[in-house]
Amino acid sequence: MIWRNPKVWIIPLVVVIAFLPLLVESYTVSLINEIGMSTLVALGLVMLTGSGGVTSFGQAAFVGVAAYTSAIVTTKLGLSPWVGLLAALALTSALALVIGALTLRMGGHFLALSTIAWGICVPIIFGSITYLGSHTGILNIPAIHIGDWSLGTPARMYYLVWILVGLAFLLSFNLMHSRTGRVMRSLKGGGTLLASFGADMYRARVILFVYAAVLASLTGWLYAHTYRYVSPSAFNVEVGIEYLLMAIVGGVGSLLGALAGSAVVLELQNILQDFLPLVTEYANHLTVIVFFIIFIVLMQFGRNGVMGGIKSWLESRGYSTSKVKKGPFLDDGDVALAGREKPAKGSRILSSKNLIKQFGGLTAVDDVSFDIDAGDIVGLIGPNGAGKSTMFNMLTRTLKMTTGSIEFMGHDISRQSQRKVACMGMARTFQHVKLMGSMTLLENVALGANVRTHSGVVRDVLRLNKKEEAQIFHEAMRQLERVGLADRAYQTAGQLPLGSQRILEIARALASDPTLLVLDEPAAGLRHQEKIELGTLLRKLREEGMTILIVEHDMDFVMGLVDRLIVMNFGSKLTEGTPDKVRVNKDVQAAYLGGTHE
Amino acid sequence: MDWNIFSLLTIDGLVNGSMYLLAGLGLVLVFSVTRVVFIPFGSIAVYAAFSLAAFQAGNVPATIGLVVIFALLATIVEVVSLIRKHDVKRIPKAILCWGILPLIPCALAWGVVKTQAPEYALLIASILLVVPVGPLLGRIVFQPIANASVLVLLIVALALEFVASGLALFFFGPEGIRTNSLVSGSLSFGSVTISAYVMLVILSAVVVSVLFFFLFGRTLMGKALRATSINRTGARLIGARPERTAVIAYSVASLLAGFIGVLMSPQTTFYYDSGFLIGLKSFVAAIIGGLVSYPITAIGALGVGIFESFASFWNGELKEAIVFGLLIPILLIRSWLASGGEEDEEDHE
């Protein structure tokens, strides 16, 4: 079955691609070029929408800014198109940075709406500036030259377009499978998840947004020098929606969706444009109608697009479509990540001093103080509504306290952000498990190592991160072994049962080499057997000297596990002490059993 | 800028603002019930304007064809979904509600042309003719994806707007229209002259919005409508039926759109694609109201109208850019208010 090996296909594929312009007529080459150009924009959108959860209707505006920039540089200033490319890249990414910085803090649909706003504004601005040729635009843009060789024909442009497309896919693939990219791929998990492993949602979104704009600007540059003219109408919001359509048709779950989507959409458009004029005089507009009807139907029935369809078809036939087949760099030499300096056993790690939290008139936490020392396993327990979760949120800095202070490792963290505290060595899990279901177990745990590593977007795109990647995956694998999930490292996290997902979250937290591990109701919703497994793991961690704070509702679960219990009721600290002491405490019994005690 | 120009611009702004106000109320209503940003709203207004123009020219409006097509599609969609649910008994009722009922205004419209009815009958017929459009589109396009995220619904709404305006070109042609004025004459207040038409527009906006505020802000029906948007399952549990409340919302919105088309067409030239910008600008107003508050939407709409009018005096070309540029700071404020400073949203789409 030699043809099952993808590598066998590469050589014939390259040959076909290389000689394609000689085999088909010029008109078809133009169409193929157009597909390539749209693929670049769609690729940015696939990453932005599929990974970042940011939908942009305005990518056409970035294409336009780049096209106009290069047009002006070459016609008005008389410089080379290559200078135009640099100027286009610079200006577009600067613009994207400004727009992104302004708008990317917005949530969900507000953000999408803002993209409509600037998507409409930009082409109007083009059309109103006389220097930019108003509504006519700019004509007579020169072709691109490489030395004396002019890329004035579609057949020659073809090579440039598809080399750029190939390069864009390579770099994007690099990016998505790197430290930066893994953070981007978990953007849909929300800001709290990202901050829990020291990543900044806003920053990741801005980088992704600028990256998508850079891809769009390549299209703009190619557009200007392929068609040799630019006009505002080519970049209006309808075109922006068409790009989005391509991404969705192709499927935003896979980078190749961009190529599939552009090919399907443009080919379909081409067929409609050939066919419809035979039927009606308003063919162009009918194309638009048919188009958007298809779009609507697609949104109703197949939001996963072409690639999503192919994926589930392959999976139904027993092929695995998971990208990472084996640990990418596990065999390399010196691969241990530098650890954090651990405090001596018994030294103070966390102290909460007189914490008070009021929600309006309600006091959820009332003057609670306690300390945790290195090596302690402390349980924070209490019946429903005792203020445990509020306490947890204040300690992990997802919630501001009304008054009081928290010290962690000798630093006052009362005003610190959740992300900073995570970087300082406080790792957490979530009561409602936050894992990226489409990523492998290994990749999920690798996210935890984010705080201990540094590779940035440029290094990641260019694959200059090999050593650190090896270290990250080595560490992730080590943690999976530690919690006993190593044999399932290459499965996707979505396939795990809840009990294993909780354990996977602990592995992710451990990958940050934490000084303090804070677990939010780890036993909630678990079956009996799962609770036993979780208990075994936590006992093992205790023996290894890990400091743990468990916030838990289930008293039985924590009793045999912890050195010390802090009991809360109605927002106040009821008592504190060893499990045995707490067990016989009358107040605690009353709180849990609702008994009368006078 | 002297006093004359100032008052002229303000009045002009108030007229446009009234239009955005009415449209904004419709958008808020539909959004608060279905979570759909109903951008095709503007195109429904365009359908009404073209209908009135056809009536005034003594022709049968092409809108009838549109309504018939939508009704046919909606009936098919409904019947298919009933068959899938093995609920065959309700098919006759479905055909009656989705297939026959929307045709009544069509018959009425046809009758109005044939009997050469008086002017006011033409107005009413134009408005009624477009009332089925909203609910039908809602049934065909949005009900199957009623549980999708706001974002998916927004993308679909935008796509639908392009279909709606494309169909308008198809059925009404590329020429713009303007209808005969409903009223004439004017009143003078010192140096400022206000035409009766302007007063009619502003007055109707005020009356309709006050009506709206009481009807949907204060009554049990209004509360049921809002409950639906917050939690569909919850609303169902307390006896509100999401599908039915959606139909009510779309119908009222269509009624408003029809009213706008008839009201504005004597002053504004409507083209087949005018709906997009009307929809989007009203939407800016609705966003100012956070897509939930009727009173703030009203203030926002008048603000947008006046802002637009002064912007066009300052730079006619950039008018639209300025208005939509305004949207970004508003969105920033709104998003910040909505998240209450901290964020923890999960979009699983």
Side-chain angles (χ1 to χ4, degrees):
Chain A
M1 294 287 186
I2 186 167
W3 60 87
R4 286 227 172 155
N5 183 349
K7 281 177 187 156
V8 176
W9 292 92
I10 287 179
I11 293 170
L13 200 67
V14 167
V15 171
V16 170
I17 289 174
F19 289 101
L20 197 63
L22 308 175
L23 302 176
V24 295
E25 51 194 311
S26 159
Y27 172 75
T28 313
V29 178
S30 296
L31 179 66
I32 295 174
N33 287 352
E34 206 185 323
I35 291 174
M37 287 190 253
S38 304
T39 300
L40 290 171
V41 188
L43 181 60
L45 273 172
V46 162
M47 292 165 71
L48 207 52
T49 310
S51 301
V54 178
T55 304
S56 169
F57 296 97
Q59 292 308 96
F62 290 132
V63 178
V65 169
Y68 267 89
T69 308
S70 195
I72 286 177
V73 167
T74 49
T75 58
K76 312 256 169 173
L77 309 179
L79 297 170
S80 144
W82 297 101
V83 180
L85 173 62
L86 293 180
L89 284 174
L91 197 68
T92 315
S93 41
L95 182 70
L97 193 63
V98 172
I99 291 180
L102 272 175
T103 60
L104 287 172
R105 274 195 207 280
M106 290 188 213
H109 61 286
F110 288 108
L111 178 55
L113 292 170
S114 79
T115 66
I116 300 182
W118 49 259
I120 290 179
C121 288
V122 170
I124 294 176
I125 293 172
F126 288 150
S128 65
I129 299 176
T130 326
Y131 182 73
L132 299 180
S134 300
H135 294 287
T136 331
I138 299 172
L139 307 174
N140 302 323
I141 299 169
I144 298 166
H145 286 259
I146 299 174
D148 287 338
W149 202 55
S150 157
L151 302 182
T153 64
R156 290 180 173 183
M157 210 50 194
Y158 168 90
Y159 292 101
L160 180 62
V161 169
W162 285 95
I163 286 171
L164 284 178
V165 171
L167 215 58
F169 269 103
L170 182 69
L171 297 184
S172 303
F173 184 84
N174 285 351
L175 177 62
M176 292 327 253
H177 294 88
S178 73
R179 176 178 182 266
T180 316
R182 280 188 297 274
V183 170
M184 288 170 174
R185 282 155 69 198
S186 35
L187 273 170
K188 282 188 178 176
T192 315
L193 171 67
L194 260 68
S196 79
F197 44 78
D200 185 350
M201 166 144 136
Y202 173 62
R203 187 165 178 274
R205 271 184 168 182
V206 170
I207 294 173
L208 192 53
F209 189 72
V210 173
Y211 185 84
V214 165
L215 288 177
S217 77
L218 287 178
T219 302
W221 178 66
L222 290 169
Y223 181 99
H225 298 285
T226 301
Y227 300 108
R228 313 285 194 81
Y229 76 94
V230 290
S231 71
S233 65
F235 311 114
N236 63 25
V237 80
E238 276 179 61
V239 181
I241 293 170
E242 261 186 44
Y243 285 129
L244 186 63
L245 172 67
M246 290 175 194
I248 292 175
V249 167
V252 294
S254 158
L255 293 186
L256 280 177
L259 182 59
S262 313
V264 169
V265 167
L266 288 173
E267 183 56 39
L268 190 69
Q269 212 166 36
N270 197 40
I271 293 171
L272 286 176
Q273 274 164 358
D274 282 349
F275 164 74
L276 289 177
L278 307 175
V279 191
T280 162
E281 53 177 320
Y282 298 124
N284 273 336
H285 282 268
L286 198 58
T287 315
V288 174
I289 298 176
V290 172
F291 229 69
F292 283 107
I293 289 177
I294 293 172
F295 188 17
I296 291 171
V297 172
L298 189 83
M299 293 298 280
Q300 291 188 339
F301 295 108
R303 259 177 257 161
N304 296 328
V306 176
M307 292 311 289
I310 292 178
K311 219 179 224 177
S312 44
W313 182 74
L314 281 178
E315 270 160 17
S316 73
R317 302 199 48 173
Y319 289 88
S320 163
T321 53
S322 160
K323 291 264 161 31
V324 191
K325 292 284 188 269
K326 76 177 208 26
F329 314 106
L330 285 181
D331 314 325
D332 293 12
D334 178 20
V335 285
L337 266 183
R340 217 182 281 277
E341 205 173 300
K342 289 290 179 321
K345 189 167 169 60
S347 63
R348 179 82 9 118
I349 286 190
L350 182 84
S351 67
S352 129
K353 290 170 188 160
N354 309 99
L355 282 187
I356 295 178
K357 177 67 189 181
Q358 289 166 329
F359 295 105
L362 178 87
T363 307
V365 169
D366 192 7
D367 197 17
V368 175
S369 309
F370 62 86
D371 302 314
I372 296 175
D373 296 337
D376 279 359
I377 308 283
V378 179
L380 178 62
I381 63 167
N384 281 333
K388 301 187 300 290
S389 291
T390 310
M391 195 67 207
F392 180 94
N393 289 337
M394 284 192 288
L395 291 177
T396 51
R397 309 300 311 126
T398 48
L399 191 66
K400 292 187 177 75
M401 55 263 210
T402 313
T403 58
S405 69
I406 306 171
E407 256 182 36
F408 179 57
M409 298 299 291
H411 300 280
D412 182 17
I413 58 162
S414 310
R415 300 276 170 276
Q416 287 289 18
S417 70
Q418 183 203 354
R419 195 175 72 79
K420 269 280 162 52
V421 174
C423 292
M424 288 166 72
M426 191 194 292
R428 65 168 289 183
T429 63
F430 293 87
Q431 185 185 344
H432 302 285
V433 175
K434 285 178 188 271
L435 289 165
M436 300 321 291
S438 60
M439 281 161 63
T440 62
L441 269 60
L442 194 64
E443 285 176 306
N444 268 293
V445 179
L447 282 172
N450 188 70
V451 289
R452 301 161 70 188
T453 46
H454 312 281
S455 185
V457 62
V458 177
R459 290 174 62 86
D460 283 346
V461 163
L462 299 176
R463 268 272 176 267
L464 300 173
N465 55 0
K466 282 191 180 162
K467 180 164 181 249
E468 199 177 78
E469 282 289 290
Q471 290 174 328
I472 290 173
F473 279 100
H474 178 80
E475 176 68 16
M477 197 49 135
R478 202 171 69 84
Q479 298 303 345
L480 278 177
E481 278 161 9
R482 193 171 174 191
V483 302
L485 284 172
D487 54 327
R488 310 176 78 168
Y490 302 109
Q491 289 180 10
T492 50
Q495 301 169 349
L496 291 181
L498 181 62
S500 307
Q501 291 194 349
R502 282 264 162 69
I503 289 176
L504 184 59
E505 278 212 328
I506 295 177
R508 183 179 65 200
L510 289 173
S512 70
D513 191 26
T515 317
L516 172 66
L517 186 59
V518 196
L519 308 177
D520 193 1
E521 307 231 358
L526 295 197
R527 285 178 284 126
H528 182 65
Q529 190 57 36
E530 290 175 326
K531 280 187 191 176
I532 294 176
E533 281 163 20
L534 181 66
T536 315
L537 170 65
L538 294 180
R539 241 167 244 121
K540 184 180 162 213
L541 293 179
R542 181 177 65 179
E543 275 145 32
E544 290 170 12
M546 177 65 63
T547 316
I548 305 175
L549 172 65
I550 307 173
V551 177
E552 184 52 76
H553 172 77
D554 185 340
M555 207 161 171
D556 292 335
F557 179 74
V558 287
M559 272 303 174
L561 206 63
V562 299
D563 307 319
R564 192 154 48 94
L565 277 171
I566 297 157
V567 189
M568 282 181 75
N569 195 24
F570 296 122
S572 311
K573 188 163 97 175
L574 203 60
T575 184
E576 183 176 349
T578 61
D580 292 334
K581 250 172 67 189
V582 166
R583 202 192 298 272
V584 295
N585 184 305
K586 286 272 183 322
D587 291 335
V588 176
Q589 285 175 358
Y592 263 89
L593 302 173
T596 51
H597 65 101
E598 291 301 326
Chain B
M1 187 186 294
D2 64 21
W3 170 245
N4 263 333
I5 295 177
F6 179 80
S7 57
L8 213 67
L9 288 176
T10 309
I11 289 169
D12 196 38
L14 283 177
V15 169
N16 279 330
S18 304
M19 167 163 75
Y20 302 146
L21 166 53
L22 294 174
L25 293 177
L27 287 178
V28 170
L29 177 65
V30 172
F31 183 83
S32 64
V33 172
T34 62
R35 300 178 303 128
V36 172
V37 178
F38 196 53
I39 308 222
F41 184 93
S43 280
I44 298 181
V46 169
Y47 292 173
F50 272 96
S51 304
L52 181 58
F55 281 134
Q56 287 181 342
N59 300 327
V60 177
T63 322
I64 291 179
L66 271 172
V67 175
V68 170
I69 292 176
F70 291 153
L72 196 66
L73 280 173
T75 312
I76 293 171
V77 171
E78 179 72 23
V79 168
V80 168
S81 91
L82 284 178
I83 291 175
R84 280 178 145 189
K85 280 189 279 186
H86 302 291
D87 198 356
V88 187
K89 262 186 274 171
R90 278 168 55 198
I91 289 181
K93 195 184 163 204
I95 293 177
L96 185 73
C97 288
W98 294 105
I100 311 292
L101 208 59
L103 301 185
I104 293 173
C106 298
L108 209 69
W110 193 76
V112 163
V113 177
K114 294 298 162 195
T115 56
Q116 289 169 346
E119 190 77 5
Y120 70 88
L122 300 183
L123 301 179
I124 294 172
S126 310
I127 298 175
L128 288 182
L129 192 51
V130 296
V131 168
V133 175
L136 289 173
L137 289 178
R139 176 65 193 89
I140 302 166
V141 177
F142 294 111
Q143 194 179 314
I145 49 170
N147 292 320
S149 70
V150 174
L151 200 58
V152 168
L153 293 172
L154 171 66
I155 296 174
V156 172
L158 267 172
L160 181 61
E161 163 56 29
F162 290 118
V163 175
S165 63
L167 288 173
L169 172 70
F170 226 62
F171 279 79
F172 307 121
E175 305 297 326
I177 53 107
R178 214 176 247 228
T179 57
N180 306 328
S181 186
L182 322 168
V183 290
S184 54
S186 60
L187 281 177
S188 290
F189 301 94
S191 65
V192 182
T193 310
I194 300 178
S195 72
Y197 171 75
V198 166
M199 289 200 289
L200 174 72
V201 169
I202 296 175
L203 193 71
S204 349
V206 170
V207 170
V208 171
S209 46
V210 168
L211 212 67
F212 220 78
F213 180 67
F214 280 104
L215 214 58
F216 295 110
R218 293 288 164 86
T219 63
L220 188 64
M221 175 170 73
K223 283 172 186 160
L225 286 178
R226 270 176 292 148
T228 315
S229 74
I230 296 165
N231 187 333
R232 292 175 67 83
T233 318
R236 216 186 279 271
L237 285 176
I238 58 164
R241 287 161 58 184
E243 288 81 20
R244 179 172 291 184
T245 46
V247 169
I248 295 174
Y250 282 120
S251 305
V252 174
S254 293
L255 188 74
L256 276 175
F259 189 63
I260 290 172
V262 167
L263 195 64
M264 300 308 292
S265 54
Q267 145 125 12
T268 318
T269 309
F270 276 85
Y271 294 91
Y272 71 94
D273 60 353
S274 300
F276 187 45
L277 282 183
I278 297 176
L280 275 183
K281 280 184 207 159
S282 327
F283 181 60
V284 176
I287 287 279
I288 296 177
L291 285 168
V292 282
S293 162
Y294 294 117
I296 302 179
T297 302
I299 295 166
L302 296 179
V304 170
I306 292 172
F307 187 80
E308 179 187 14
S309 155
F310 280 86
S312 68
F313 175 75
W314 178 66
N315 188 333
E317 290 246 49
L318 281 177
K319 180 181 83 175
E320 317 287 8
I322 295 170
V323 172
F324 288 110
L326 180 73
L327 189 55
I328 291 175
I330 293 169
L331 282 169
L332 281 172
I333 295 168
R334 267 293 154 196
S335 171
W336 186 75
L337 286 178
S339 64
E342 61 184 279
E343 31 151 359
D344 188 21
E345 36 146 333
E346 288 163 78
D347 198 345
H348 290 295
E349 272 313 320

